[in-house]
Amino acid sequence: MQTINVITPCSRPKNLRRMVDSIFKDCSFFHINWFVGVDTSKVKDFFVEADIPNILYPNYGFFYDFKEDVNSVVGNAQRNVCLDRILNNKVFNGWCMFIDDDNSVHPNFYWTFFNDLINNPFHRVFIYSQDRKSDLMIILNPKHVGVGYKLTDSSQFIVHSDVIGNIRWKVDDYNADGLFIQEIYNKNSVLSFLSDFIVSNRNSLKD
């Protein structure tokens, strides 16, 4: 069974309880590890606010790290601290996907990804579409699915840990998501799979 490491930069710990079902729902095709990088400049009492005992799932991994970086924007430093833990321990070798603490995973994603892997066994980057909510409108534009600067949102792609190496998110750049996946793509010349399937719902948990 392959592993998926879900990485969540966290400044809204109360949302974690709302994310649990979308992350672990119908995931029997994979072993799921959930890594939460807590921004301690914004979160004062993580264990109380996140209600940890109520979000743990048996037989799956739940890990958390604490990071404060005054130069970091939109959780980039927190994504990096989770990546460091994953890439420094071979037991976590597998796929990495980035789901922010106001996003949710599409309920059919794991089944879709499982089949995409069967049909594309040598691909190491998979990029999907995304529901975007803005001003009460859902903007769905598959033309934005791609590899590159300002083209790819953090929760649109899933990448295998064996092609990440020492590549990390630029902590002070709001467009670090596109830069991160573009650097992986350029450095490794990896086979990439593009799909208009909706992997995530952006800002679906935003208050």
Side-chain angles (χ1 to χ4, degrees):
M1 182 179 291
Q2 296 199 52
T3 293
I4 295 180
N5 301 300
V6 178
I7 297 172
T8 299
C10 178
S11 60
R12 291 164 283 218
K14 291 182 179 179
N15 278 3
L16 298 183
R17 282 171 286 177
R18 301 167 65 190
M19 296 177 69
V20 166
D21 286 340
S22 82
I23 289 177
F24 293 106
K25 183 178 177 62
D26 297 328
C27 61
S28 57
F29 307 103
F30 300 96
H31 175 77
I32 306 296
N33 293 317
W34 190 12
F35 293 84
V36 176
V38 182
D39 184 348
T40 53
S41 67
K42 298 177 180 178
V43 178
K44 301 308 177 186
D45 198 337
F46 173 70
F47 297 100
V48 171
E49 295 181 57
D51 197 8
I52 294 296
N54 291 334
I55 67 172
L56 297 182
Y57 264 52
N59 304 319
Y60 293 96
F62 179 81
F63 307 91
Y64 46 87
D65 289 289
F66 299 94
K67 179 69 175 179
E68 180 174 357
D69 188 332
V70 295
N71 297 313
S72 179
V73 295
V74 293
N76 292 341
Q78 288 72 38
R79 293 184 182 94
N80 285 341
V81 75
C82 292
L83 274 177
D84 287 342
R85 176 184 277 216
I86 292 168
L87 296 172
N88 287 329
N89 192 332
K90 291 183 179 180
V91 74
F92 299 131
N93 183 58
W95 298 92
C96 296
M97 65 185 299
F98 301 85
I99 303 296
D100 290 351
D101 65 1
D102 59 354
N103 293 352
S104 57
V105 180
H106 190 283
N108 294 325
F109 169 68
Y110 295 119
W111 168 246
T112 300
F113 183 53
F114 179 76
N115 282 284
D116 288 342
L117 280 174
I118 291 174
N119 295 321
N120 303 275
F122 300 108
H123 287 61
R124 283 296 179 260
V125 175
F126 289 74
I127 301 177
Y128 295 91
S129 193
Q130 179 189 71
D131 256 354
R132 286 171 169 256
K133 291 186 177 180
S134 177
D135 298 327
L136 302 181
M137 294 176 61
I138 296 178
I139 302 170
L140 178 59
N141 189 349
K143 292 181 180 179
H144 287 172
V145 178
V147 177
Y149 184 67
K150 291 188 177 182
L151 286 177
T152 314
D153 187 72
S154 58
S155 59
Q156 280 183 258
F157 56 81
I158 182 165
V159 56
H160 201 278
S161 58
D162 62 13
V163 297
I164 297 176
N166 61 357
I167 299 171
R168 296 293 184 273
W169 294 59
K170 298 184 184 303
V171 296
D172 59 350
D173 196 320
Y174 283 95
N175 297 298
D177 38 15
L179 294 173
F180 174 78
I181 201 65
Q182 181 71 64
E183 189 174 355
I184 290 173
Y185 182 81
N186 290 342
K187 184 175 181 179
N188 298 281
S189 297
V190 294
L191 289 171
S192 299
F193 176 83
L194 306 182
S195 170
D196 61 3
F197 177 82
I198 300 169
V199 62
S200 62
N201 300 297
R202 186 172 186 261
N203 299 148
S204 61
L205 303 181
K206 201 163 189 175
D207 294 328

